[in-house]
């Protein structure tokens, strides 16, 4: 059984956008989750749970608070999946 080590960015963008209830086109690499998309702690936790279930990883609370933009999600997943 192989572990998924690469993340399809377009699929991930759609997953994150769906979880945050925004259009995928609004989820640019520069868009700030808290300041521009009004992501609060509950929504951040929901995103973490969604990512954990989809990619079969565990995300610590200390890691959740470091996610500010879409590239941060990609970087976190890359680290988790390569570990």
């Amino acid at each position: 059984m192989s572990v998924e080590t690469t993340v399809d960015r377009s699929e991930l963008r759609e997953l994150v956008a769906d979880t945050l209830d925004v259009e995928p086109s609004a989820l640019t690499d520069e868009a700030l989750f808290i300041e521009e998309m009004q992501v609060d702690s509950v929504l951040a936790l929901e995103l973490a749970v969604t990512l954990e279930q989809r990619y079969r990883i565990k995300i610590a609370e200390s890691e959740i608070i470091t996610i500010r933009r879409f590239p941060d999600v990609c970087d976190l997943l890359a680290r988790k999946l390569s570990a």
Side-chain angles (χ1 to χ4, degrees), residues 59-77:
I59 301 174
E61 184 178 337
S62 60
E63 294 170 315
I64 296 170
I65 61 174
T66 66
I67 298 174
R68 297 185 39 92
R69 300 174 301 121
F70 180 70
D72 298 334
V73 175
C74 297
D75 293 344
L76 176 63
L77 280 178

Side-chain angles (χ1 to χ4, degrees), residues 20 22 26-39 66-72:
L20 300 182
V22 298
L27 189 60
T28 65
D29 286 353
E30 296 79 28
L32 295 168
F33 286 179
I34 296 170
E35 295 85 346
E36 296 175 34
M37 298 186 178
Q38 288 72 49
V39 174
T66 66
I67 298 174
R68 297 185 39 92
R69 300 174 301 121
F70 180 70
D72 298 334

Side-chain angles (χ1 to χ4, degrees), residues 7-74:
V7 176
D8 181 329
R9 284 180 66 97
S10 61
E11 177 186 312
L12 178 59
R13 189 177 307 273
E14 288 196 27
L15 180 69
V16 172
D18 185 54
T19 304
L20 300 182
D21 197 26
V22 298
E23 289 296 320
S25 60
L27 189 60
T28 65
D29 286 353
E30 296 79 28
L32 295 168
F33 286 179
I34 296 170
E35 295 85 346
E36 296 175 34
M37 298 186 178
Q38 288 72 49
V39 174
D40 60 13
S41 58
V42 174
L43 201 48
L45 182 58
E46 184 178 336
L47 176 59
V49 169
T50 299
L51 295 171
E52 287 177 338
Q53 291 174 344
R54 168 62 182 88
Y55 295 99
R56 296 182 179 162
I57 58 171
K58 188 68 180 156
I59 301 174
E61 184 178 337
S62 60
E63 294 170 315
I64 296 170
I65 61 174
T66 66
I67 298 174
R68 297 185 39 92
R69 300 174 301 121
F70 180 70
D72 298 334
V73 175
C74 297

